[in-house]
Amino acid sequence: MKLSVIGCGYLGAVHAAAMASIGHEVVGIDVDPAKIEALAAGRSPIFEPGLPELLLAGVESGRLRFSTDMADAAGATMHFVAVGTPQKAGSNAADLRYVDAAVTALLPHLSAGDVVVGKSTVPVGTAARLAELVAPTGAVLAWNPEFLREGFAVQDTIAPDRLVYGLPPAPEDAAVARAAFDEVYAQALSTGTPLVATGYSTAELVKVAANAFLATKISFINAMAEIAEVTDADVTELADAIGYDARIGRRFLNAGVGFGGGCLPKDIRAFTARAEELGRGESVAFLKEVDAINLRRRQRVIDLVVEELGGSAYQKRVAVLGLAFKPDSDDVRDSPALDVAVGLNGLGAEVLAFDPEAVPNARRLHPQLKFADSAEQAVTDADIVVVVTEWKAFRALDPSAVAELTAGKTIVDGRNCLDVDAWRGAGWRYVGLGRP
Ligand code: UDX
């Protein structure tokens, strides 16, 4: 099929490359010339495992092109809108300006029978509004939320755990959209991927409901960590024990510095704002508590470091290991790790931070921070070490080797990801979150 993908960020770049890899002819469009230039040369502007290989193969095969000109979307049968919906400045609501701009710019290039597919995470009601804009062109609008996780984005796009079609209300339009979806996702469907075909509102809500649930699960275990901290209990053992109940499940029960990234935090806030507009604010009022618990964990890590330093971080050398919001990503949007580094720096600590991939992005946002070129450099002469992103390389650090380099022998494990016995065995004072 001929496809266009509007917006080539974390979502769009992966979608474009993944669709080309399964045989579709794809043009990716973005307003950022630098991004397009990199992508067109087969270079990934983001760190995402597997993406560079897919981009190169796509570009070399001729099935994957990139452009800054929206006119290049003409001729495609499906147009995926994958632009960002960040949090609005000064509000909890989602900022829809990029979605609106993308759809408006696309209108002159649409033909009757085309399908415009929204993939961005939007407040419920957005698709119905956009469908009215699209209708005069003879194209139809559908919604198709994605659930890709950064770090696994390629795999999640090619072999998703479910597909959701948000189809238009008119049966003839729904049939057009459905046929297009079935064709574009034929490969995933042929392997038995579960499919939920529904209307706009459900499709829009599925995405925010899923993210709200995941955020709630993480904040639930972090709330248990807060209780564990005053009762000498161990939250990781608690998580293992409740996780054996198949109804609960162990995944997303890792207590630590909390969730961040470009989705979970802003999506629960936007959901709260939209529910309030709908007169149902109380239905999701608990999400404010979920957000509050989550943000408290960042402060908790900072407080622990200060406490371990004897009450003041001023002029103390702090090695911060991790800046990305999670491992295998260079994304620092709403990153708990970066917040901890910035917070400690603000308290007068001499912070030296390292992350295997996220240093350039962190430096752009916080040029006042000092960055190391390696974990070893970051910990050299440090009074204390703080791990805030659970990169494999940090989990694999040899406690004895690190001890040779540091001044102090205290490690704060903000992700509960280190081998406690190994660190304590090597003479370290190990401090986890919600564990004795
Ligand atoms: C999330 C959703 O998982 C995905 O389905 C959606 O499409 C986009 O948002 P992502 O932002 O890539 O994906 O990250 P995810 O793996 O969900 O992790 C989110 C945050 O939660 C990270 O900061 C992670 O470190 C944190 N987390 C996750 C925990 O603190 N504990 C856990 O047990 C799991």
Side-chain angles (χ1 to χ4, degrees), residues 41-380:
R43 284 195 315 272
S44 172
I46 53 170
F47 177 81
E48 182 62 51
L51 182 57
E53 294 81 351
L54 229 55
L55 278 173
L56 257 185
V59 169
E60 276 170 11
S61 73
R63 282 199 304 275
L64 182 58
R65 295 182 297 130
F66 290 96
S67 167
T68 51
D69 186 357
M70 192 63 97
D72 286 327
T77 9
M78 291 184 96
H79 307 270
F80 291 91
V81 177
V83 295
T85 50
Q87 189 174 337
K88 227 186 234 174
S91 148
N92 275 337
D95 187 344
L96 293 179
R97 82 175 84 168
Y98 305 108
V99 172
D100 289 345
V103 172
T104 308
L106 184 60
L107 293 176
H109 311 293
L110 294 173
S111 306
D114 284 3
V115 183
V116 179
V117 183
K119 283 195 92 60
S120 308
T121 304
V122 291
V124 56
T126 305
R129 180 172 64 76
L130 295 176
E132 285 180 26
L133 289 180
V134 168
T137 67
V140 301
L141 183 110
W143 217 262
N144 179 216
E146 56 68 38
F147 308 97
L148 63 82
R149 300 157 299 164
E150 288 178 27
F152 300 90
V154 170
Q155 169 193 330
D156 285 353
T157 304
I158 293 176
D161 51 15
R162 79 284 212 189
L163 284 164
V164 176
Y165 300 173
L167 301 172
E172 58 281 15
D173 292 344
V176 171
R178 184 163 188 144
F181 274 134
D182 285 348
E183 191 179 342
V184 80
Y185 294 132
Q187 179 177 308
L189 291 169
S190 72
T191 61
T193 306
L195 163 66
V196 178
T198 179
Y200 288 156
S201 306
T202 308
E204 291 166 316
L205 277 171
V206 166
K207 177 61 193 273
V208 281
N211 279 350
F213 192 90
L214 294 172
T216 303
K217 201 169 175 190
I218 299 168
S219 277
F220 174 85
I221 201 66
N222 280 329
M224 295 306 108
E226 292 186 335
I227 303 294
E229 275 156 19
V230 292
T231 54
D232 239 17
D234 186 324
V235 74
T236 59
E237 290 169 3
L238 174 88
D240 289 344
I242 64 173
Y244 283 120
D245 184 332
R247 295 169 302 174
I248 296 174
R250 181 62 178 81
R251 293 175 73 190
F252 271 67
L253 280 185
N254 294 325
V257 69
F259 61 80
C263 292
L264 260 45
K266 64 114 177 144
D267 285 353
I268 60 169
R269 291 174 199 148
F271 195 10
T272 311
R274 183 64 182 136
E276 282 165 2
E277 277 172 19
L278 294 165
R280 287 288 183 275
E282 63 192 20
S283 306
V284 291
F286 68 93
L287 291 177
K288 291 187 177 170
E289 204 55 51
V290 166
D291 199 7
I293 293 166
N294 189 54
L295 294 177
R296 280 208 294 274
R297 299 320 281 167
R298 302 179 185 192
Q299 189 57 45
R300 172 70 183 157
V301 173
I302 293 171
D303 291 346
L304 271 176
V305 172
V306 172
E307 207 176 298
E308 291 297 326
L309 287 170
S312 169
Y314 186 67
Q315 288 188 343
K316 294 283 171 56
R317 290 168 176 251
V318 182
V320 174
L321 299 184
L323 292 162
F325 83 107
K326 69 175 200 183
D328 293 318
S329 170
D330 64 354
D331 196 348
V332 295
R333 288 176 295 171
D334 210 338
S335 169
L338 184 54
D339 264 11
V340 167
V342 170
L344 288 166
N345 191 62
L347 292 175
E350 288 179 22
V351 171
L352 191 53
F354 175 70
D355 186 284
E357 294 295 336
V359 169
N361 285 339
R363 183 179 277 132
R364 212 167 298 131
L365 285 183
H366 291 286
Q368 79 280 18
L369 289 178
K370 289 203 181 74
F371 300 97
D373 296 325
S374 67
E376 287 70 24
Q377 190 191 343
V379 301
T380 299

